[in-house]
Amino acid sequence: MGVTETDKSVILNHESGSSAEIYLYGASVVSWKSAGKERLFVSSKAALDGSKAIRGGIPICFPIFGPPPSSPPEYASLSQHGFARNQIWKFEKTVMDRPEGVSVRFTAPAPPAEFQHKYKLAYVVTLSEHQLSTDVHIVNEETDREFKFQALLHGYLAIPDSSKIRISNIPRGTTYVDKILGGKVTQSDGEDIVIDKPIDRVYHSVSSKEIHVDDGFGGGYKVRFRGFEDCTIWNPTEETGKAIADMEDKGWEKYICIEPGYAREFKSLAAGEEFIGQQVYTVL
């Protein structure tokens, strides 16, 4: 067990043999091993030198998800998915190092000068034998105005073959935006989702707060969340995946993105208010 700090990352080791590695760049989780297997996908073409966001693992999207909105101006000028995944975070402390789990806390630096908002953004990563928990903590440090943001954990779960998986536990009637169909608003039929064509959907207010992935080979994942209300499901398949510059050949066959977040609209915090969004991966 224990926590090891290097010049670029923090490594967690649990007595069960499970481990995790979190880069200071973006506070991106780039590895999670449980039962002797790597559970996160990172493209072999991913930039790990801080030159661009890491393709894979669990990047943090904040203070926006997706393309920037048309207003307000300080949000409109942001790059896709915001700036948190491109900042150098600080390893603040070890929260826990016990048989129950190993937990560490990171804090984000100040925002770019043009983003005139006062907030505190922290990230807690907790490792146990068969689980990985990632918690986003956001405090509005303004004294007299609200702070609006979006936040999402863009996780790439490793799987043997994306064409064999089944995604379930999204309640029938859950509204989603289908980006493949130009933003068409649709309701879930409650049936299992299979990856036989590109998928890019933002499910709104997922009442189950839990999504299951059957990997088709006797394993899979449970993705549970709280605080976060929405969940994006994404896999470009070969049709669009081959156009992603930092995606390895056939990389789209090796992952599914299940992404809890607050992505449908902006979350508003009153002065001094705190938001906590938690995601828990469990190996099945």
Short mmCIF file of all heavy atoms in Angstrom, two decimals, residues 47-81:
data_model
loop_
_atom_site.label_atom_id
_atom_site.label_comp_id
_atom_site.label_asym_id
_atom_site.label_seq_id
_atom_site.Cartn_x
_atom_site.Cartn_y
_atom_site.Cartn_z
N ALA A 47 -0.52 12.49 -26.23
CA ALA A 47 0.57 13.36 -25.79
C ALA A 47 0.61 13.35 -24.27
O ALA A 47 -0.38 13.68 -23.61
CB ALA A 47 0.35 14.77 -26.31
N LEU A 48 1.75 12.94 -23.71
CA LEU A 48 1.90 12.88 -22.25
C LEU A 48 2.90 13.91 -21.75
O LEU A 48 3.34 13.85 -20.61
CB LEU A 48 2.34 11.48 -21.84
CG LEU A 48 1.38 10.33 -22.22
CD1 LEU A 48 1.99 8.98 -21.84
CD2 LEU A 48 0.02 10.51 -21.55
N ASP A 49 3.24 14.86 -22.62
CA ASP A 49 4.26 15.86 -22.28
C ASP A 49 3.68 17.22 -21.94
O ASP A 49 4.42 18.20 -21.79
CB ASP A 49 5.25 16.00 -23.44
CG ASP A 49 4.57 16.44 -24.75
OD1 ASP A 49 3.33 16.60 -24.76
OD2 ASP A 49 5.29 16.62 -25.75
N GLY A 50 2.35 17.31 -21.82
CA GLY A 50 1.73 18.58 -21.48
C GLY A 50 1.47 19.48 -22.67
O GLY A 50 1.05 20.63 -22.49
N SER A 51 1.68 18.97 -23.87
CA SER A 51 1.48 19.80 -25.06
C SER A 51 0.01 19.88 -25.46
O SER A 51 -0.40 20.81 -26.16
CB SER A 51 2.30 19.26 -26.23
OG SER A 51 1.94 17.93 -26.54
N LYS A 52 -0.79 18.91 -25.04
CA LYS A 52 -2.22 18.92 -25.31
C LYS A 52 -2.89 17.96 -24.33
O LYS A 52 -2.23 17.21 -23.62
CB LYS A 52 -2.52 18.51 -26.76
CG LYS A 52 -2.08 17.10 -27.11
CD LYS A 52 -2.35 16.77 -28.59
CE LYS A 52 -3.83 16.81 -28.92
NZ LYS A 52 -4.11 16.36 -30.29
N ALA A 53 -4.21 18.02 -24.28
CA ALA A 53 -4.96 17.15 -23.38
C ALA A 53 -4.67 15.69 -23.69
O ALA A 53 -4.45 15.31 -24.84
CB ALA A 53 -6.45 17.44 -23.50
N ILE A 54 -4.67 14.86 -22.66
CA ILE A 54 -4.36 13.44 -22.81
C ILE A 54 -5.55 12.70 -23.40
O ILE A 54 -6.67 12.81 -22.91
CB ILE A 54 -3.97 12.83 -21.45
CG1 ILE A 54 -2.68 13.50 -20.93
CG2 ILE A 54 -3.79 11.32 -21.55
CD1 ILE A 54 -2.34 13.14 -19.51
N ARG A 55 -5.28 11.94 -24.46
CA ARG A 55 -6.33 11.16 -25.11
C ARG A 55 -6.49 9.82 -24.38
O ARG A 55 -5.77 8.88 -24.62
CB ARG A 55 -5.99 10.92 -26.58
CG ARG A 55 -6.95 9.99 -27.31
CD ARG A 55 -8.34 10.58 -27.48
NE ARG A 55 -8.32 11.75 -28.35
CZ ARG A 55 -9.37 12.54 -28.59
NH1 ARG A 55 -10.53 12.26 -28.02
NH2 ARG A 55 -9.26 13.59 -29.39
N GLY A 56 -7.42 9.79 -23.46
CA GLY A 56 -7.67 8.58 -22.71
C GLY A 56 -7.62 8.82 -21.21
O GLY A 56 -7.49 9.96 -20.74
N GLY A 57 -7.74 7.73 -20.44
CA GLY A 57 -7.76 7.86 -18.99
C GLY A 57 -9.05 8.50 -18.52
O GLY A 57 -10.14 8.16 -18.98
N ILE A 58 -8.93 9.46 -17.59
CA ILE A 58 -10.11 10.22 -17.12
C ILE A 58 -9.76 11.71 -17.11
O ILE A 58 -9.33 12.24 -16.08
CB ILE A 58 -10.56 9.78 -15.71
CG1 ILE A 58 -10.67 8.26 -15.59
CG2 ILE A 58 -11.91 10.43 -15.39
CD1 ILE A 58 -11.04 7.79 -14.20
N PRO A 59 -9.90 12.40 -18.22
CA PRO A 59 -9.72 13.85 -18.23
C PRO A 59 -10.89 14.55 -17.53
O PRO A 59 -12.02 14.04 -17.52
CB PRO A 59 -9.68 14.21 -19.72
CG PRO A 59 -9.49 12.90 -20.44
CD PRO A 59 -10.12 11.86 -19.56
N ILE A 60 -10.62 15.73 -16.98
CA ILE A 60 -11.65 16.53 -16.32
C ILE A 60 -12.06 17.67 -17.25
O ILE A 60 -11.22 18.49 -17.65
CB ILE A 60 -11.13 17.12 -15.00
CG1 ILE A 60 -10.69 16.01 -14.06
CG2 ILE A 60 -12.20 18.00 -14.34
CD1 ILE A 60 -9.96 16.51 -12.82
N CYS A 61 -13.34 17.73 -17.60
CA CYS A 61 -13.86 18.83 -18.41
C CYS A 61 -14.43 19.88 -17.46
O CYS A 61 -15.35 19.58 -16.68
CB CYS A 61 -14.94 18.33 -19.36
SG CYS A 61 -14.37 17.06 -20.52
N PHE A 62 -13.91 21.11 -17.53
CA PHE A 62 -14.34 22.20 -16.64
C PHE A 62 -13.71 23.49 -17.14
O PHE A 62 -12.54 23.47 -17.54
CB PHE A 62 -13.88 21.93 -15.20
CG PHE A 62 -14.13 23.07 -14.23
CD1 PHE A 62 -15.32 23.18 -13.55
CD2 PHE A 62 -13.16 24.05 -14.03
CE1 PHE A 62 -15.54 24.23 -12.68
CE2 PHE A 62 -13.38 25.11 -13.16
CZ PHE A 62 -14.57 25.19 -12.48
N PRO A 63 -14.41 24.63 -17.15
CA PRO A 63 -15.76 24.89 -16.66
C PRO A 63 -16.85 24.75 -17.73
O PRO A 63 -17.98 25.19 -17.51
CB PRO A 63 -15.65 26.34 -16.19
CG PRO A 63 -14.68 26.95 -17.16
CD PRO A 63 -13.68 25.86 -17.47
N ILE A 64 -16.49 24.15 -18.87
CA ILE A 64 -17.51 23.84 -19.86
C ILE A 64 -17.28 22.42 -20.36
O ILE A 64 -16.18 21.86 -20.22
CB ILE A 64 -17.50 24.81 -21.06
CG1 ILE A 64 -16.14 24.79 -21.77
CG2 ILE A 64 -17.90 26.22 -20.63
CD1 ILE A 64 -16.12 25.54 -23.10
N PHE A 65 -18.32 21.85 -20.97
CA PHE A 65 -18.21 20.57 -21.65
C PHE A 65 -18.58 20.79 -23.10
O PHE A 65 -19.60 21.40 -23.41
CB PHE A 65 -19.15 19.55 -21.02
CG PHE A 65 -19.29 18.29 -21.84
CD1 PHE A 65 -18.21 17.45 -22.03
CD2 PHE A 65 -20.50 17.97 -22.43
CE1 PHE A 65 -18.33 16.29 -22.80
CE2 PHE A 65 -20.63 16.82 -23.19
CZ PHE A 65 -19.55 15.98 -23.37
N GLY A 66 -17.73 20.30 -23.99
CA GLY A 66 -17.99 20.47 -25.41
C GLY A 66 -17.55 21.83 -25.91
O GLY A 66 -16.76 22.52 -25.26
N PRO A 67 -18.07 22.23 -27.08
CA PRO A 67 -17.71 23.54 -27.64
C PRO A 67 -18.17 24.66 -26.72
O PRO A 67 -19.15 24.51 -25.99
CB PRO A 67 -18.46 23.57 -28.97
CG PRO A 67 -18.79 22.15 -29.27
CD PRO A 67 -18.98 21.47 -27.95
N PRO A 68 -17.47 25.81 -26.74
CA PRO A 68 -17.87 26.92 -25.88
C PRO A 68 -19.22 27.50 -26.28
O PRO A 68 -19.58 27.48 -27.46
CB PRO A 68 -16.74 27.94 -26.07
CG PRO A 68 -16.14 27.60 -27.39
CD PRO A 68 -16.26 26.12 -27.52
N PRO A 69 -19.97 28.03 -25.32
CA PRO A 69 -21.25 28.67 -25.64
C PRO A 69 -21.02 30.04 -26.28
O PRO A 69 -19.89 30.56 -26.26
CB PRO A 69 -21.91 28.81 -24.27
CG PRO A 69 -20.74 28.98 -23.33
CD PRO A 69 -19.66 28.09 -23.88
N SER A 70 -22.04 30.63 -26.81
CA SER A 70 -21.91 31.94 -27.47
C SER A 70 -21.75 33.07 -26.47
O SER A 70 -21.22 34.14 -26.80
CB SER A 70 -23.12 32.20 -28.37
OG SER A 70 -24.32 32.11 -27.63
N SER A 71 -22.18 32.86 -25.24
CA SER A 71 -22.02 33.88 -24.19
C SER A 71 -22.10 33.19 -22.83
O SER A 71 -22.58 32.05 -22.75
CB SER A 71 -23.13 34.94 -24.31
OG SER A 71 -24.40 34.36 -24.06
N PRO A 72 -21.66 33.85 -21.75
CA PRO A 72 -20.98 35.15 -21.65
C PRO A 72 -19.61 35.12 -22.32
O PRO A 72 -19.08 34.04 -22.61
CB PRO A 72 -20.86 35.36 -20.14
CG PRO A 72 -21.78 34.37 -19.51
CD PRO A 72 -21.84 33.22 -20.43
N PRO A 73 -19.01 36.31 -22.54
CA PRO A 73 -17.76 36.39 -23.30
C PRO A 73 -16.62 35.54 -22.75
O PRO A 73 -15.89 34.91 -23.51
CB PRO A 73 -17.41 37.89 -23.22
CG PRO A 73 -18.71 38.58 -23.02
CD PRO A 73 -19.52 37.65 -22.19
N GLU A 74 -16.47 35.48 -21.41
CA GLU A 74 -15.34 34.72 -20.84
C GLU A 74 -15.50 33.21 -21.04
O GLU A 74 -14.53 32.47 -21.01
CB GLU A 74 -15.13 35.06 -19.36
CG GLU A 74 -16.21 34.55 -18.41
CD GLU A 74 -17.34 35.53 -18.21
OE1 GLU A 74 -17.65 36.32 -19.14
OE2 GLU A 74 -17.94 35.51 -17.13
N TYR A 75 -16.75 32.77 -21.25
CA TYR A 75 -16.99 31.36 -21.56
C TYR A 75 -16.86 31.12 -23.07
O TYR A 75 -16.36 30.09 -23.50
CB TYR A 75 -18.38 30.93 -21.09
CG TYR A 75 -18.54 30.90 -19.59
CD1 TYR A 75 -18.87 32.06 -18.88
CD2 TYR A 75 -18.38 29.72 -18.87
CE1 TYR A 75 -19.02 32.04 -17.50
CE2 TYR A 75 -18.53 29.68 -17.49
CZ TYR A 75 -18.85 30.85 -16.81
OH TYR A 75 -18.99 30.83 -15.45
N ALA A 76 -17.32 32.08 -23.84
CA ALA A 76 -17.29 31.96 -25.30
C ALA A 76 -15.86 31.86 -25.83
O ALA A 76 -15.62 31.28 -26.89
CB ALA A 76 -18.00 33.15 -25.94
N SER A 77 -14.89 32.42 -25.08
CA SER A 77 -13.50 32.42 -25.54
C SER A 77 -12.73 31.16 -25.15
O SER A 77 -11.57 30.99 -25.51
CB SER A 77 -12.78 33.65 -24.99
OG SER A 77 -12.71 33.60 -23.58
N LEU A 78 -13.38 30.27 -24.39
CA LEU A 78 -12.70 29.05 -23.93
C LEU A 78 -12.55 28.05 -25.07
O LEU A 78 -13.31 28.05 -26.03
CB LEU A 78 -13.49 28.41 -22.79
CG LEU A 78 -13.62 29.22 -21.50
CD1 LEU A 78 -14.54 28.49 -20.51
CD2 LEU A 78 -12.26 29.47 -20.87
N SER A 79 -11.58 27.16 -24.92
CA SER A 79 -11.42 26.07 -25.87
C SER A 79 -12.36 24.93 -25.49
O SER A 79 -12.94 24.93 -24.40
CB SER A 79 -9.97 25.58 -25.89
OG SER A 79 -9.58 25.16 -24.59
N GLN A 80 -12.52 23.97 -26.37
CA GLN A 80 -13.41 22.84 -26.12
C GLN A 80 -13.08 22.17 -24.79
O GLN A 80 -11.92 21.91 -24.48
CB GLN A 80 -13.30 21.84 -27.26
CG GLN A 80 -14.05 20.54 -27.00
CD GLN A 80 -14.83 20.02 -28.16
OE1 GLN A 80 -15.43 20.77 -28.91
NE2 GLN A 80 -14.81 18.71 -28.34
N HIS A 81 -14.11 21.87 -24.02
CA HIS A 81 -14.01 21.19 -22.72
C HIS A 81 -13.31 22.03 -21.65
O HIS A 81 -12.99 21.52 -20.56
CB HIS A 81 -13.29 19.84 -22.85
CG HIS A 81 -14.02 18.84 -23.69
ND1 HIS A 81 -15.40 18.78 -23.77
CD2 HIS A 81 -13.56 17.83 -24.48
CE1 HIS A 81 -15.76 17.80 -24.57
NE2 HIS A 81 -14.68 17.20 -25.02
#
